């Protein structure tokens, strides 16, 4: 029995490493092309920061895995740091999905009411506020050191879980509303960003939610249950962060044509023509 479990754990561990390495490569390509070769509009700014958050998560995951292999054990700091990067990505995904949905459902109102630098401000606040909030919760719940404060842990942890679940629901519901609107109600040409929003929402539901549940249940689960569930949740979280470049590629490719990666990413991530087709005319530099 223990031999089977050890084999299963090793398979999950090395699958996580393989998926993480592939995700690092894919996200690095997206970050390079989007950062230096593709004009950025308001939605592509979210994608740029979301890709950076995915890279940080995968990089931390691989770094801590290497330390685990070298030392034969892992520190509780590992979960806190990787979840910090995961939370930043969740904030950015929720903001990206909600704004993309609003821009398609209410284009005139969106054009008139949207402040000029909304995307940049939201991304900056996500990077500035989310890490301290996650680390504060981890500190009170004993993830950064051995001591724990039960009442403070319960209070901070409940607020953290409620906020993150609200963000996950926002991302998924925005993608679902956009799907229903584009498929059933809108007479306009389907925007390519629609596929990226819907795919990211479904990916979060299937692969990102278990990792979020690990954070929610971590202070209350017995260690043997946590050691069973956590490796699988980590593998799914790596798939969640690694599959997004594949979504961008599938959204931008044209069947039957072989094109450079830059052309495919430009088609899926540049939104100027899509916004004009939807009744919104934002300049490409407006973020």
């Amino acid at each position: 029995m223990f031999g089977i479990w050890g084999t299963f754990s090793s398979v999950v561990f090395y699958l996580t490493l393989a998926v993480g390495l592939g995700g690092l490569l894919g996200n690095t390509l997206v970050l390079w092309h989007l950062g230096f070769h593709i004009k950025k509009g308001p939605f592509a700014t979210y994608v740029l920061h979301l890709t950076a958050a995915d890279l940080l998560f995968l990089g931390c995951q691989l770094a801590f895995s290497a330390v685990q292999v070298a030392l034969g054990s892992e520190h509780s700091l590992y979960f806190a740091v990787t979840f910090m990067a995961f939370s930043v990505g969740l904030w950015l995904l929720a903001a990206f999905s909600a704004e993309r949905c609003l821009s398609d459902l209410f284009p005139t109102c969106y054009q008139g009411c949207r402040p000029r630098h909304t995307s940049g401000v939201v991304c900056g606040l996500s990077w500035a506020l989310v890490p301290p909030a996650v680390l504060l919760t981890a500190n009170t719940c004993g993830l950064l050191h051995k001591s724990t404060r039960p009442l403070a842990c319960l209070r901070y942890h409940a607020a953290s879980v409620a906020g993150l679940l609200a963000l996950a629901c926002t991302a998924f519901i925005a993608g679902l509303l956009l799907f229903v609107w584009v498929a059933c109600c809108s007479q306009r040409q389907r925007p390519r960003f629609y596929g990226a929003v819907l795919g990211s929402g479904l990916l979060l539901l299937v692969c990102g939610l278990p990792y979020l549940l690990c954070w929610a249940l971590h202070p209350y689960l017995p260690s043997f249950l946590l050691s069973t569930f956590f490796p699988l949740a980590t593998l799914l979280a790596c798939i969640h962060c690694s599959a997004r470049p594949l979504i961008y590629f599938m959204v931008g490719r044209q069947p039957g044509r072989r094109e450079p990666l830059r052309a495919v990413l430009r088609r899926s991530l540049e939104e100027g023509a899509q916004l004009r087709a939807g009744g919104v005319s934002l300049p490409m530099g407006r973020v």
Side-chain angles (χ1 to χ4, degrees), residues 74-89:
E74 64 182 35
H75 195 277
S76 57
L77 177 66
Y78 154 68
F79 188 25
V81 173
T82 53
F83 190 79
M84 176 186 68
F86 181 86
S87 300
V88 172

Side-chain angles (χ1 to χ4, degrees), residues 32-285:
W32 171 260
H33 288 293
L34 190 56
F36 298 101
H37 301 293
I38 299 176
K39 294 180 179 180
K40 292 182 288 298
F43 302 125
T45 299
Y46 286 121
V47 175
L48 178 68
H49 287 266
L50 182 57
T51 302
D54 289 342
L55 267 176
L56 179 62
F57 173 82
L58 294 170
C60 290
Q61 176 64 44
L62 292 176
F64 279 109
S65 296
V67 171
Q68 180 181 349
V69 170
L71 301 181
S73 63
E74 64 182 35
H75 195 277
S76 57
L77 177 66
Y78 154 68
F79 188 25
V81 173
T82 53
F83 190 79
M84 176 186 68
F86 181 86
S87 300
V88 172
L90 183 57
W91 273 82
L92 294 169
L93 178 60
F96 164 57
S97 302
E99 190 168 342
R100 175 67 259 191
C101 183
L102 290 173
S103 71
D104 209 69
L105 268 62
F106 310 104
T108 304
C109 180
Y110 175 84
Q111 180 184 9
C113 299
R114 183 186 188 275
R116 178 174 177 81
H117 297 291
T118 300
S119 301
V121 170
V122 171
C123 292
L125 288 176
S126 298
W127 285 105
L129 299 179
V130 175
V134 172
L135 293 177
L136 177 62
T137 303
N139 182 58
T140 56
C141 293
L143 287 176
L144 303 185
H145 50 75
K146 295 296 183 180
S147 62
T148 181
R149 291 174 286 171
L151 291 180
C153 174
L154 180 63
R155 184 167 61 250
Y156 287 121
H157 190 69
S160 172
V161 170
L164 292 169
L165 286 176
L167 291 171
C169 291
T170 299
F172 179 72
I173 292 173
L176 185 61
L177 285 175
L178 190 59
F179 169 75
V180 173
W181 174 257
V182 172
C184 303
C185 304
S186 177
Q187 301 299 317
R188 300 191 297 267
Q189 182 182 6
R190 179 178 298 182
R192 289 190 180 273
F193 255 99
Y194 148 84
V197 174
L198 179 60
S200 296
L202 292 175
L203 197 64
L204 173 65
L205 181 66
V206 175
C207 297
L209 193 58
Y211 199 71
L212 182 56
L213 290 177
C214 263
W215 175 259
L217 299 176
H218 185 274
Y220 315 110
L221 282 180
S223 58
F224 72 93
L225 286 178
L226 189 63
S227 63
T228 302
F229 181 54
F230 183 68
L232 289 174
T234 302
L235 173 59
L236 290 174
C238 287
I239 294 174
H240 170 254
C241 293
S242 301
R244 235 185 304 268
L246 183 61
I247 291 176
Y248 304 148
F249 178 78
M250 296 301 295
V251 167
R253 67 185 290 267
Q254 292 185 341
R257 295 183 59 183
R258 298 187 64 178
E259 299 176 294
L261 179 61
R262 184 182 304 178
V264 176
L265 290 176
R266 181 179 290 114
R267 186 178 298 112
S268 64
L269 297 178
E270 280 189 349
E271 69 254 24
Q274 299 164 17
L275 293 174
R276 288 193 295 271
V280 183
S281 180
L282 291 176
M284 293 304 295

